[in-house]
Amino acid sequence: MSVWDRAHQSVGTRTNGHFGFIDQLRGVAILLVFLCHCTASFNLAFSMDLNDPLGFVAQVYSGKINVSQVIDFLCFYPCRMGWSGVAIFFVVSGFCIHLSYSQSGKPDLTAFYIRRFFRIYPPYLLAVLVFGLLFPYSRLDFDHWQNWMRLLSHLFLCNNLSEFLVGISASYWTIPVEAQLYLLFPVLLLLVRRYSFRGALWIVGVVQFSLPITTALAFGLSHLPPLWISASPLYYWFSWSIGAAICDAYLKGKPSPWLKSSPWLWLLAAVATSGFAAHEFSFAFFALATASLLARRLTTESAEEPLSLFGRFLRVTGTYSYSIYLVHQPIIVAVTESYKRLFPGLENNPWAAFFAALSSWLIIFPVAALMYYLVEKPSILLGKRLLKALSQRWSNDPSGRRRVSQMFPRTKGLRLSSDSTRRP
């Protein structure tokens, strides 16, 4: 996240209820994001009300809003807050990235980055090329040189650096943020080695929270800061790192951070601050609510419990969540635009527009499933084969790997046995 990374666990661990719960969290997260983008098909005036809850309340008290609009707002505002699913993804990503890195017999960043590349980039590359070059509702017009820059920025994972580079799918800003957080992972490990995870979290927390405080003072709470600030990996470093901290505590058998804090209190803080234009503090509060929930879940019995039908749906959806994330927004646009041609004025009826967008799930889910089995899994397998080949080469000449590994520290005191994902 990746935001959607599946840790490469042993067969026994994959059936562990703890890590099945991770897939369920992913399922919740991608459904939230999907619902959020389903509200984007409303007319502009209604969308602005959803983005400005305090302004909407002021209009209610001034008598400018009727009862029907109040009901619409109460129904659709929770959907618009579905962007909070990205916060869930980032916490889960931090957890799984640290787990994947730590559970290998001799963790080093060379193998780590190879796994990350083949887990994230090939499906993303396919999505960028299909939706940027071929798909009629998202393809770029290359008569303008700016669109060449947009395509290149997507290919080189730097399209989060400027509003000028946004294109193809608005959702794709998180992919470069995720990749850039991978580059910060060694820095986090260095901080952990020197100051412990608690000290490292204080440092990255100061970094993350200082940015929204600064932007709030500079631009105001009702104005978006520049994308190079609000989409910087430093803006989400703490939210991502808390997942790694929970994983570290789990592997060491220590009490997880945020175990005693209530997720409901963090959720209340998140909702209370969600009306700010850039969600300056709300994102971190949603991440902390997720961290509290995850920490509590990891303390329960690990045996797999029978899932309800909805629980199984969440787990399968979580399995396909990365592919769903990559394909969902252009398909939502295509489906809703098709409805608008058939039913002119559809966008002026929020309920009709919302259900039209919801119907796109009937296309998104099977397309994502195909992408998972035909692209994601083969890409992961290719990465494993490459690592195996490199491992054989390194076993014959270990000095090259040793030089790379010594450049980066391991987390002090981490359990690295073959069953390190099991709680001692």
Side-chain angles (χ1 to χ4, degrees), residues 92-141:
V92 170
S93 171
F95 180 92
C96 292
I97 290 302
H98 195 70
L99 179 66
S100 177
Y101 172 78
S102 302
Q103 71 179 0
S104 57
K106 293 182 179 180
D108 66 79
L109 291 179
T110 305
F112 169 79
Y113 285 120
I114 291 174
R115 288 196 299 268
R116 293 303 91 225
F117 177 85
F118 283 96
R119 177 65 184 88
I120 297 302
Y121 195 74
Y124 169 73
L125 175 62
L126 176 64
V128 167
L129 294 178
V130 169
F131 291 119
L133 302 180
L134 303 176
F135 199 64
Y137 293 93
S138 59
R139 64 188 176 197
L140 300 171
D141 179 8

Side-chain angles (χ1 to χ4, degrees), residues 398-412:
S399 60
R401 181 172 184 172
R402 189 181 303 116
R403 286 194 297 271
V404 174
S405 300
Q406 289 174 348
M407 294 173 61
F408 303 101
R410 301 175 189 174
T411 305
K412 188 177 181 180

Side-chain angles (χ1 to χ4, degrees), residues 157-211:
L157 294 170
C158 58
N159 51 294
N160 62 321
L161 299 180
S162 171
E163 288 85 353
F164 171 78
L165 300 175
V166 173
I168 304 177
S169 174
S171 302
Y172 288 175
W173 71 271
T174 65
I175 311 300
V177 171
E178 180 79 12
Q180 291 153 22
L181 283 168
Y182 295 161
L183 298 180
L184 288 173
F185 185 53
V187 180
L188 178 64
L189 294 180
L190 287 169
L191 292 174
V192 168
R193 182 175 185 178
R194 177 150 189 174
Y195 302 109
S196 79
F197 243 113
R198 181 183 295 273
L201 287 177
W202 274 105
I203 294 172
V204 299
V206 168
V207 171
Q208 175 169 326
F209 281 96
S210 65
L211 288 175

Side-chain angles (χ1 to χ4, degrees), residues 2-291:
S2 150
V3 220
W4 306 268
D5 176 65
R6 293 179 61 85
H8 302 295
Q9 302 155 354
S10 64
V11 173
T13 305
R14 285 182 184 175
T15 60
N16 187 300
H18 289 167
F19 300 106
F21 178 70
I22 293 291
D23 275 334
Q24 290 175 276
L25 275 179
R26 289 194 187 98
V28 171
I30 193 59
L31 288 176
L32 286 172
V33 172
F34 171 70
L35 289 174
C36 176
H37 292 149
C38 282
T39 64
S41 57
F42 299 162
N43 64 50
L44 181 60
F46 197 91
S47 296
M48 290 176 66
D49 289 336
L50 286 178
N51 287 325
D52 185 16
L54 298 179
F56 186 85
V57 171
Q59 292 183 63
V60 171
Y61 277 102
S62 65
K64 298 179 180 179
I65 302 296
N66 58 42
V67 175
S68 176
Q69 289 174 307
V70 171
I71 294 174
D72 288 345
F73 180 85
L74 293 176
C75 292
F76 291 121
Y77 183 64
C79 295
R80 178 53 61 91
M81 288 182 62
W83 58 262
S84 60
V86 179
I88 299 175
F89 275 134
F90 274 28
V91 174
V92 170
S93 171
F95 180 92
C96 292
I97 290 302
H98 195 70
L99 179 66
S100 177
Y101 172 78
S102 302
Q103 71 179 0
S104 57
K106 293 182 179 180
D108 66 79
L109 291 179
T110 305
F112 169 79
Y113 285 120
I114 291 174
R115 288 196 299 268
R116 293 303 91 225
F117 177 85
F118 283 96
R119 177 65 184 88
I120 297 302
Y121 195 74
Y124 169 73
L125 175 62
L126 176 64
V128 167
L129 294 178
V130 169
F131 291 119
L133 302 180
L134 303 176
F135 199 64
Y137 293 93
S138 59
R139 64 188 176 197
L140 300 171
D141 179 8
F142 291 103
D143 289 338
H144 303 284
W145 67 269
Q146 295 94 330
N147 284 327
W148 286 103
M149 295 295 295
R150 291 187 178 99
L151 178 62
L152 290 175
S153 70
H154 280 71
L155 295 177
F156 288 98
L157 294 170
C158 58
N159 51 294
N160 62 321
L161 299 180
S162 171
E163 288 85 353
F164 171 78
L165 300 175
V166 173
I168 304 177
S169 174
S171 302
Y172 288 175
W173 71 271
T174 65
I175 311 300
V177 171
E178 180 79 12
Q180 291 153 22
L181 283 168
Y182 295 161
L183 298 180
L184 288 173
F185 185 53
V187 180
L188 178 64
L189 294 180
L190 287 169
L191 292 174
V192 168
R193 182 175 185 178
R194 177 150 189 174
Y195 302 109
S196 79
F197 243 113
R198 181 183 295 273
L201 287 177
W202 274 105
I203 294 172
V204 299
V206 168
V207 171
Q208 175 169 326
F209 281 96
S210 65
L211 288 175
I213 291 172
T214 302
T215 56
L217 293 174
F219 302 99
L221 291 174
S222 59
H223 295 86
L224 289 168
L227 194 66
W228 63 270
I229 298 178
S230 63
S232 162
L234 298 177
Y235 219 76
Y236 308 96
W237 198 10
F238 174 78
S239 301
W240 189 83
S241 298
I242 58 179
I246 292 173
C247 176
D248 185 69
Y250 174 76
L251 293 176
K252 294 178 180 178
K254 294 182 177 180
S256 295
W258 304 283
L259 178 61
K260 296 181 179 180
S261 64
S262 171
W264 294 106
L265 290 178
W266 293 120
L267 188 62
L268 180 62
V271 173
T273 56
S274 63
F276 301 155
H279 315 298
E280 279 95 345
F281 306 102
S282 189
F283 189 98
F285 291 141
F286 275 118
L288 286 166
T290 304

